[in-house]
Amino acid sequence: MSSLKVRVDQKKLERAAYVLKCVAHPIRIGIIDLLEQRARLTVSELQDVLQVEQSLLSHHLTNMRDKGVVETKREGKNMYYSLTDHTITNIIACINGCRTF
């Protein structure tokens, strides 16, 4: 048997798993997809498109903000959400491109 020596960046793998766990929900993937298309949206705008209850949407957005996937900016009485890192959309595009889904 040949010996395979591969260098694995453990921190990079842990970060990838952390982000994937955070976005592994249809509503969260929908949020990411919409924020990729529009750059920033309010809860009301997201709710209109996703057709989910405001409390459920807020729960997902809070979790995503706590995990560093989205960020917020208040303008007047509106809170705008945007992606912190657009590379997460590459993963979703890859999944969407799979023939098995």
Side-chain angles (χ1 to χ4, degrees):
M1 259 180 135
S2 67
S3 175
L4 180 64
K5 291 189 179 190
V6 179
R7 178 183 268 176
V8 177
D9 184 341
Q10 192 65 32
K11 293 224 184 258
K12 192 174 183 179
L13 293 175
E14 288 173 8
R15 174 67 181 153
Y18 182 80
V19 171
L20 288 171
K21 285 180 193 177
C22 175
V23 299
H25 190 280
I27 292 173
R28 294 178 189 169
I29 292 171
I31 291 167
I32 291 168
D33 190 43
L34 289 170
L35 290 175
E36 176 64 16
Q37 293 174 41
R38 294 277 308 272
R40 67 183 204 146
L41 294 165
T42 65
V43 173
S44 297
E45 292 168 328
L46 288 164
Q47 184 182 7
D48 287 345
V49 176
L50 295 173
Q51 295 296 300
V52 295
E53 291 185 27
Q54 186 271 331
S55 60
L56 178 61
L57 184 58
S58 291
H59 169 76
H60 285 293
L61 286 166
T62 298
N63 185 286
M64 293 171 74
R65 186 183 65 222
D66 291 347
K67 300 272 178 16
V69 175
V70 297
E71 60 189 0
T72 59
K73 182 177 182 183
R74 181 172 292 280
E75 289 184 13
K77 61 181 182 170
N78 290 320
M79 184 73 77
Y80 287 91
Y81 288 84
S82 60
L83 293 174
T84 57
D85 184 359
H86 289 264
T87 58
I88 189 70
T89 60
N90 295 337
I91 295 168
I92 295 169
C94 182
I95 292 168
N96 287 337
C98 293
R99 294 182 190 263
T100 59
F101 293 108

